[in-house]
Short mmCIF file of all heavy atoms in Angstrom, two decimals:
data_model
loop_
_atom_site.label_atom_id
_atom_site.label_comp_id
_atom_site.label_asym_id
_atom_site.label_seq_id
_atom_site.Cartn_x
_atom_site.Cartn_y
_atom_site.Cartn_z
N SER O 28 -6.24 8.54 -3.86
CA SER O 28 -7.46 9.12 -3.28
C SER O 28 -7.72 8.50 -1.92
O SER O 28 -7.52 7.31 -1.72
CB SER O 28 -8.66 8.84 -4.19
OG SER O 28 -8.49 9.47 -5.42
N ILE O 29 -8.17 9.33 -1.00
CA ILE O 29 -8.37 8.86 0.36
C ILE O 29 -9.80 9.06 0.82
O ILE O 29 -10.53 9.91 0.31
CB ILE O 29 -7.41 9.55 1.36
CG1 ILE O 29 -7.66 11.06 1.36
CG2 ILE O 29 -5.97 9.20 1.05
CD1 ILE O 29 -6.94 11.78 2.50
N ASN O 30 -10.17 8.25 1.82
CA ASN O 30 -11.46 8.41 2.49
C ASN O 30 -11.30 9.41 3.63
O ASN O 30 -12.15 10.29 3.81
CB ASN O 30 -11.90 7.05 3.02
CG ASN O 30 -13.23 7.11 3.73
OD1 ASN O 30 -13.30 7.50 4.88
ND2 ASN O 30 -14.29 6.77 3.02
N ASN O 31 -10.25 9.24 4.41
CA ASN O 31 -9.94 10.21 5.45
C ASN O 31 -8.46 10.19 5.77
O ASN O 31 -7.73 9.29 5.35
CB ASN O 31 -10.78 9.99 6.72
CG ASN O 31 -10.38 8.73 7.50
OD1 ASN O 31 -9.26 8.61 7.97
ND2 ASN O 31 -11.32 7.80 7.65
N LEU O 32 -8.03 11.17 6.53
CA LEU O 32 -6.64 11.27 6.95
C LEU O 32 -6.65 11.56 8.44
O LEU O 32 -7.46 12.35 8.93
CB LEU O 32 -5.92 12.38 6.18
CG LEU O 32 -4.41 12.56 6.43
CD1 LEU O 32 -3.72 12.99 5.15
CD2 LEU O 32 -4.13 13.52 7.55
N GLN O 33 -5.75 10.90 9.16
CA GLN O 33 -5.71 11.05 10.61
C GLN O 33 -4.31 11.44 11.06
O GLN O 33 -3.32 11.04 10.44
CB GLN O 33 -6.11 9.72 11.27
CG GLN O 33 -7.49 9.25 10.86
CD GLN O 33 -7.81 7.85 11.37
OE1 GLN O 33 -7.27 7.40 12.37
NE2 GLN O 33 -8.71 7.17 10.68
N TYR O 35 -1.66 11.39 14.43
CA TYR O 35 -1.39 10.75 15.70
C TYR O 35 -0.13 11.33 16.31
O TYR O 35 0.76 11.79 15.60
CB TYR O 35 -1.18 9.24 15.51
CG TYR O 35 -2.43 8.47 15.16
CD1 TYR O 35 -2.90 8.44 13.85
CD2 TYR O 35 -3.13 7.76 16.14
CE1 TYR O 35 -4.04 7.73 13.53
CE2 TYR O 35 -4.28 7.06 15.82
CZ TYR O 35 -4.72 7.05 14.51
OH TYR O 35 -5.86 6.35 14.20
N HIS O 45 -4.45 9.08 19.07
CA HIS O 45 -5.20 9.72 18.00
C HIS O 45 -5.47 11.18 18.34
O HIS O 45 -5.95 11.50 19.43
CB HIS O 45 -6.53 8.98 17.81
CG HIS O 45 -7.38 9.52 16.70
ND1 HIS O 45 -8.47 10.31 16.92
CD2 HIS O 45 -7.27 9.39 15.36
CE1 HIS O 45 -9.02 10.64 15.77
NE2 HIS O 45 -8.31 10.08 14.81
N LEU O 48 -9.14 13.52 13.05
CA LEU O 48 -9.49 12.86 11.80
C LEU O 48 -10.15 13.90 10.90
O LEU O 48 -11.03 14.63 11.34
CB LEU O 48 -10.45 11.69 12.07
CG LEU O 48 -10.94 10.85 10.90
CD1 LEU O 48 -11.32 9.45 11.40
CD2 LEU O 48 -12.13 11.46 10.18
N ARG O 50 -12.00 14.24 7.07
CA ARG O 50 -12.55 13.46 5.97
C ARG O 50 -12.22 14.13 4.64
O ARG O 50 -11.92 15.33 4.59
CB ARG O 50 -14.05 13.28 6.13
CG ARG O 50 -14.40 12.59 7.44
CD ARG O 50 -15.85 12.16 7.53
NE ARG O 50 -16.14 11.66 8.86
CZ ARG O 50 -15.76 10.48 9.34
NH1 ARG O 50 -15.07 9.66 8.57
NH2 ARG O 50 -16.07 10.11 10.56
N SER O 51 -12.35 13.39 3.58
CA SER O 51 -11.93 13.89 2.27
C SER O 51 -12.77 15.07 1.80
O SER O 51 -12.31 15.86 0.97
CB SER O 51 -11.98 12.77 1.23
OG SER O 51 -13.29 12.26 1.12
N ALA O 90 -1.86 9.24 8.97
CA ALA O 90 -2.32 7.94 8.50
C ALA O 90 -3.46 8.16 7.52
O ALA O 90 -4.35 8.96 7.79
CB ALA O 90 -2.78 7.06 9.66
N THR O 91 -3.41 7.48 6.41
CA THR O 91 -4.44 7.66 5.39
C THR O 91 -5.20 6.36 5.15
O THR O 91 -4.62 5.27 5.19
CB THR O 91 -3.83 8.11 4.05
OG1 THR O 91 -2.81 7.18 3.66
CG2 THR O 91 -3.24 9.49 4.15
N PHE O 92 -6.49 6.51 4.94
CA PHE O 92 -7.33 5.39 4.51
C PHE O 92 -7.72 5.64 3.07
O PHE O 92 -8.39 6.61 2.77
CB PHE O 92 -8.59 5.30 5.37
CG PHE O 92 -8.40 4.56 6.65
CD1 PHE O 92 -7.89 5.22 7.76
CD2 PHE O 92 -8.70 3.22 6.74
CE1 PHE O 92 -7.70 4.54 8.95
CE2 PHE O 92 -8.52 2.53 7.94
CZ PHE O 92 -8.02 3.19 9.04
N GLU O 93 -7.26 4.75 2.20
CA GLU O 93 -7.58 4.92 0.79
C GLU O 93 -9.06 4.72 0.56
O GLU O 93 -9.70 3.86 1.17
CB GLU O 93 -6.80 3.91 -0.05
CG GLU O 93 -5.30 4.14 -0.06
CD GLU O 93 -4.59 3.13 -0.93
OE1 GLU O 93 -5.18 2.66 -1.91
OE2 GLU O 93 -3.43 2.79 -0.61
N SER O 94 -9.63 5.49 -0.35
CA SER O 94 -11.01 5.27 -0.75
C SER O 94 -11.03 4.01 -1.62
O SER O 94 -10.03 3.65 -2.24
CB SER O 94 -11.55 6.47 -1.51
OG SER O 94 -10.72 6.79 -2.60
N GLY O 95 -12.17 3.32 -1.62
CA GLY O 95 -12.27 2.13 -2.46
C GLY O 95 -12.22 0.83 -1.70
O GLY O 95 -12.14 -0.24 -2.28
N GLY O 96 -12.23 0.89 -0.36
CA GLY O 96 -12.44 -0.34 0.37
C GLY O 96 -11.24 -0.95 1.05
O GLY O 96 -11.35 -1.99 1.66
N SER O 97 -10.07 -0.33 0.97
CA SER O 97 -8.91 -0.91 1.64
C SER O 97 -9.10 -0.86 3.15
O SER O 97 -9.57 0.13 3.70
CB SER O 97 -7.64 -0.15 1.27
OG SER O 97 -6.57 -0.52 2.11
N TYR O 98 -8.74 -1.90 3.82
CA TYR O 98 -8.81 -1.94 5.27
C TYR O 98 -7.46 -1.67 5.90
O TYR O 98 -7.28 -1.86 7.08
CB TYR O 98 -9.34 -3.29 5.73
CG TYR O 98 -10.81 -3.46 5.48
CD1 TYR O 98 -11.27 -4.03 4.30
CD2 TYR O 98 -11.75 -3.05 6.42
CE1 TYR O 98 -12.61 -4.16 4.06
CE2 TYR O 98 -13.10 -3.18 6.18
CZ TYR O 98 -13.53 -3.74 5.01
OH TYR O 98 -14.86 -3.87 4.77
N ILE O 99 -6.51 -1.29 5.10
CA ILE O 99 -5.16 -1.10 5.60
C ILE O 99 -4.81 0.38 5.59
O ILE O 99 -4.57 0.96 4.54
CB ILE O 99 -4.14 -1.88 4.75
CG1 ILE O 99 -4.50 -3.37 4.73
CG2 ILE O 99 -2.73 -1.68 5.30
CD1 ILE O 99 -3.59 -4.21 3.87
N PRO O 100 -4.78 1.02 6.77
CA PRO O 100 -4.35 2.42 6.81
C PRO O 100 -2.85 2.49 6.59
O PRO O 100 -2.12 1.59 6.97
CB PRO O 100 -4.72 2.86 8.22
CG PRO O 100 -4.65 1.61 9.02
CD PRO O 100 -5.08 0.50 8.09
N THR O 101 -2.40 3.54 5.97
CA THR O 101 -0.98 3.72 5.69
C THR O 101 -0.44 4.83 6.56
O THR O 101 -0.91 5.96 6.47
CB THR O 101 -0.77 4.05 4.21
OG1 THR O 101 -1.33 3.01 3.42
CG2 THR O 101 0.71 4.16 3.90
N ASN C 28 -15.57 -2.60 23.30
CA ASN C 28 -16.49 -3.27 22.40
C ASN C 28 -16.23 -2.92 20.92
O ASN C 28 -17.15 -2.88 20.11
CB ASN C 28 -17.96 -2.96 22.76
CG ASN C 28 -18.92 -4.02 22.22
OD1 ASN C 28 -18.60 -5.20 22.20
ND2 ASN C 28 -20.09 -3.59 21.78
N HIS C 29 -14.96 -2.66 20.61
CA HIS C 29 -14.62 -2.33 19.23
C HIS C 29 -14.68 -3.56 18.35
O HIS C 29 -14.26 -4.64 18.73
CB HIS C 29 -13.20 -1.74 19.18
CG HIS C 29 -13.15 -0.32 19.64
ND1 HIS C 29 -11.96 0.34 19.85
CD2 HIS C 29 -14.13 0.56 19.92
CE1 HIS C 29 -12.21 1.58 20.23
NE2 HIS C 29 -13.52 1.74 20.29
N GLU C 30 -15.15 -3.36 17.13
CA GLU C 30 -15.20 -4.47 16.18
C GLU C 30 -13.85 -4.68 15.49
O GLU C 30 -13.47 -5.79 15.18
CB GLU C 30 -16.26 -4.20 15.10
CG GLU C 30 -17.68 -4.26 15.63
CD GLU C 30 -18.72 -4.18 14.53
OE1 GLU C 30 -18.34 -3.94 13.36
OE2 GLU C 30 -19.91 -4.36 14.84
N TYR C 31 -13.14 -3.61 15.24
CA TYR C 31 -11.94 -3.66 14.40
C TYR C 31 -10.70 -3.67 15.28
O TYR C 31 -10.53 -2.80 16.13
CB TYR C 31 -11.94 -2.43 13.49
CG TYR C 31 -10.89 -2.44 12.42
CD1 TYR C 31 -11.12 -3.03 11.19
CD2 TYR C 31 -9.65 -1.84 12.63
CE1 TYR C 31 -10.16 -3.05 10.21
CE2 TYR C 31 -8.68 -1.84 11.65
CZ TYR C 31 -8.94 -2.45 10.44
OH TYR C 31 -7.99 -2.46 9.47
N MET C 32 -9.83 -4.64 15.06
CA MET C 32 -8.56 -4.70 15.78
C MET C 32 -7.44 -5.02 14.81
O MET C 32 -7.67 -5.64 13.76
CB MET C 32 -8.61 -5.77 16.88
CG MET C 32 -9.65 -5.49 17.95
SD MET C 32 -9.62 -6.67 19.32
CE MET C 32 -8.14 -6.13 20.21
N SER C 33 -6.23 -4.57 15.14
CA SER C 33 -5.12 -4.81 14.24
C SER C 33 -3.81 -4.83 15.00
O SER C 33 -3.72 -4.35 16.13
CB SER C 33 -5.08 -3.74 13.14
OG SER C 33 -4.94 -2.46 13.71
N TYR C 35 0.43 -3.97 14.55
CA TYR C 35 1.45 -3.25 13.80
C TYR C 35 2.82 -3.57 14.38
O TYR C 35 2.95 -3.87 15.56
CB TYR C 35 1.25 -1.74 13.90
CG TYR C 35 0.03 -1.24 13.19
CD1 TYR C 35 -1.21 -1.25 13.82
CD2 TYR C 35 0.11 -0.76 11.89
CE1 TYR C 35 -2.33 -0.80 13.16
CE2 TYR C 35 -1.01 -0.30 11.23
CZ TYR C 35 -2.23 -0.34 11.87
OH TYR C 35 -3.34 0.11 11.23
N GLN C 45 1.33 -2.65 9.04
CA GLN C 45 0.28 -3.50 9.57
C GLN C 45 0.59 -4.97 9.31
O GLN C 45 0.95 -5.35 8.19
CB GLN C 45 -1.07 -3.13 8.95
CG GLN C 45 -2.25 -3.77 9.69
CD GLN C 45 -3.59 -3.32 9.16
OE1 GLN C 45 -3.92 -3.58 8.02
NE2 GLN C 45 -4.38 -2.65 10.00
N TYR C 48 -5.16 -7.78 10.54
CA TYR C 48 -6.29 -7.05 11.11
C TYR C 48 -7.49 -7.98 11.19
O TYR C 48 -7.53 -9.04 10.56
CB TYR C 48 -6.61 -5.78 10.31
CG TYR C 48 -7.07 -6.02 8.89
CD1 TYR C 48 -8.42 -6.15 8.59
CD2 TYR C 48 -6.14 -6.08 7.85
CE1 TYR C 48 -8.83 -6.35 7.28
CE2 TYR C 48 -6.55 -6.29 6.55
CZ TYR C 48 -7.90 -6.42 6.26
OH TYR C 48 -8.30 -6.61 4.97
N SER C 49 -8.47 -7.55 11.99
CA SER C 49 -9.69 -8.33 12.16
C SER C 49 -10.87 -7.38 12.18
O SER C 49 -10.87 -6.39 12.92
CB SER C 49 -9.63 -9.11 13.48
OG SER C 49 -10.89 -9.65 13.79
N MET C 50 -11.87 -7.68 11.37
CA MET C 50 -13.04 -6.82 11.30
C MET C 50 -14.13 -7.25 12.28
O MET C 50 -15.07 -6.50 12.52
CB MET C 50 -13.58 -6.79 9.88
CG MET C 50 -12.68 -6.03 8.93
SD MET C 50 -13.31 -6.02 7.26
CE MET C 50 -12.85 -7.66 6.70
N ASN C 51 -14.01 -8.47 12.79
CA ASN C 51 -14.97 -8.94 13.79
C ASN C 51 -14.56 -10.35 14.22
O ASN C 51 -13.56 -10.90 13.73
CB ASN C 51 -16.40 -8.94 13.24
CG ASN C 51 -17.42 -8.58 14.31
OD1 ASN C 51 -17.26 -8.96 15.48
ND2 ASN C 51 -18.44 -7.87 13.94
N VAL C 54 -13.10 -13.19 11.91
CA VAL C 54 -12.80 -12.57 10.61
C VAL C 54 -11.45 -11.87 10.71
O VAL C 54 -11.32 -10.84 11.38
CB VAL C 54 -13.88 -11.54 10.19
CG1 VAL C 54 -13.53 -10.96 8.81
CG2 VAL C 54 -15.25 -12.17 10.18
N ASP C 56 -7.59 -10.92 8.45
CA ASP C 56 -6.97 -10.83 7.12
C ASP C 56 -5.58 -10.27 7.25
O ASP C 56 -5.23 -9.62 8.25
CB ASP C 56 -7.81 -9.97 6.18
CG ASP C 56 -7.62 -10.36 4.72
OD1 ASP C 56 -6.66 -11.13 4.42
OD2 ASP C 56 -8.41 -9.92 3.87
N ARG C 68 -9.15 -14.51 16.44
CA ARG C 68 -10.14 -13.61 17.04
C ARG C 68 -11.36 -14.46 17.42
O ARG C 68 -12.37 -14.50 16.74
CB ARG C 68 -10.55 -12.52 16.04
CG ARG C 68 -11.45 -11.45 16.66
CD ARG C 68 -10.67 -10.28 17.14
NE ARG C 68 -11.50 -9.26 17.76
CZ ARG C 68 -12.07 -8.23 17.10
NH1 ARG C 68 -11.93 -8.14 15.78
NH2 ARG C 68 -12.76 -7.33 17.76
N LYS C 71 -14.56 -11.03 20.89
CA LYS C 71 -14.48 -9.67 20.38
C LYS C 71 -13.37 -8.87 21.05
O LYS C 71 -12.70 -8.06 20.42
CB LYS C 71 -15.82 -8.97 20.59
CG LYS C 71 -16.01 -7.73 19.74
CD LYS C 71 -17.43 -7.24 19.84
CE LYS C 71 -17.70 -6.13 18.85
NZ LYS C 71 -19.10 -5.66 18.91
N ALA C 92 -4.00 -2.29 18.13
CA ALA C 92 -4.87 -1.13 18.06
C ALA C 92 -6.30 -1.58 17.76
O ALA C 92 -6.51 -2.64 17.16
CB ALA C 92 -4.39 -0.16 16.97
N SER C 93 -7.25 -0.77 18.18
CA SER C 93 -8.65 -1.10 17.90
C SER C 93 -9.41 0.16 17.53
O SER C 93 -9.00 1.28 17.87
CB SER C 93 -9.31 -1.78 19.11
OG SER C 93 -9.51 -0.86 20.17
N SER C 94 -10.51 -0.02 16.83
CA SER C 94 -11.38 1.10 16.49
C SER C 94 -12.81 0.60 16.36
O SER C 94 -13.06 -0.59 16.21
CB SER C 94 -10.93 1.80 15.20
OG SER C 94 -11.12 0.96 14.09
N THR C 95 -13.72 1.54 16.44
CA THR C 95 -15.15 1.20 16.37
C THR C 95 -15.45 0.50 15.05
O THR C 95 -16.16 -0.50 15.01
CB THR C 95 -15.99 2.48 16.47
OG1 THR C 95 -15.53 3.23 17.60
CG2 THR C 95 -17.46 2.15 16.64
N ARG C 96 -14.90 1.03 13.98
CA ARG C 96 -15.09 0.42 12.67
C ARG C 96 -13.98 0.92 11.75
O ARG C 96 -13.20 1.79 12.12
CB ARG C 96 -16.46 0.75 12.09
CG ARG C 96 -16.74 2.23 11.97
CD ARG C 96 -18.10 2.50 11.39
NE ARG C 96 -18.36 3.93 11.37
CZ ARG C 96 -18.95 4.59 12.36
NH1 ARG C 96 -19.35 3.96 13.42
NH2 ARG C 96 -19.14 5.90 12.27
N ARG C 97 -13.92 0.32 10.60
CA ARG C 97 -12.90 0.68 9.62
C ARG C 97 -12.91 2.17 9.32
O ARG C 97 -13.95 2.76 9.10
CB ARG C 97 -13.14 -0.08 8.33
CG ARG C 97 -12.15 0.24 7.23
CD ARG C 97 -12.50 -0.52 5.97
NE ARG C 97 -13.66 0.02 5.30
CZ ARG C 97 -13.62 0.98 4.39
NH1 ARG C 97 -12.47 1.52 4.07
NH2 ARG C 97 -14.72 1.41 3.81
N GLY C 98 -11.74 2.77 9.36
CA GLY C 98 -11.61 4.17 9.01
C GLY C 98 -11.73 5.12 10.17
O GLY C 98 -11.43 6.31 10.04
N ASP C 99 -12.18 4.63 11.32
CA ASP C 99 -12.26 5.48 12.51
C ASP C 99 -10.88 5.61 13.15
O ASP C 99 -9.96 4.87 12.82
CB ASP C 99 -13.24 4.91 13.52
CG ASP C 99 -14.68 5.14 13.12
OD1 ASP C 99 -14.91 5.82 12.10
OD2 ASP C 99 -15.57 4.63 13.82
N GLY C 100 -10.76 6.54 14.07
CA GLY C 100 -9.50 6.68 14.79
C GLY C 100 -9.20 5.47 15.64
O GLY C 100 -10.09 4.83 16.19
N TYR C 101 -7.93 5.14 15.72
CA TYR C 101 -7.50 3.98 16.48
C TYR C 101 -7.17 4.35 17.92
O TYR C 101 -6.67 5.43 18.21
CB TYR C 101 -6.21 3.42 15.88
CG TYR C 101 -6.36 2.64 14.62
CD1 TYR C 101 -6.04 3.19 13.39
CD2 TYR C 101 -6.79 1.32 14.66
CE1 TYR C 101 -6.14 2.47 12.23
CE2 TYR C 101 -6.89 0.58 13.50
CZ TYR C 101 -6.57 1.15 12.30
OH TYR C 101 -6.67 0.43 11.15
N THR C 102 -7.40 3.38 18.81
CA THR C 102 -6.83 3.41 20.16
C THR C 102 -5.72 2.38 20.18
O THR C 102 -5.96 1.22 19.85
CB THR C 102 -7.89 3.07 21.22
OG1 THR C 102 -8.96 4.01 21.16
CG2 THR C 102 -7.27 3.11 22.61
#
Side-chain angles (χ1 to χ4, degrees):
Chain O
S28 296
I29 61 169
N30 180 280
N31 71 61
L32 184 146
Q33 302 172 25
Y35 289 81
H45 182 257
L48 180 154
R50 301 191 187 285
S51 60
T91 55
F92 276 84
E93 293 181 31
S94 54
S97 168
Y98 287 91
I99 303 178
T101 303
Chain C
N28 202 36
H29 283 171
E30 290 188 353
Y31 189 88
M32 298 185 75
S33 60
Y35 291 85
Q45 193 175 64
Y48 64 92
S49 168
M50 289 179 282
N51 215 324
V54 182
D56 207 347
R68 187 94 181 270
K71 198 170 188 178
S93 71
S94 68
T95 311
R96 57 180 177 269
R97 179 182 74 89
D99 284 356
Y101 284 103
T102 300

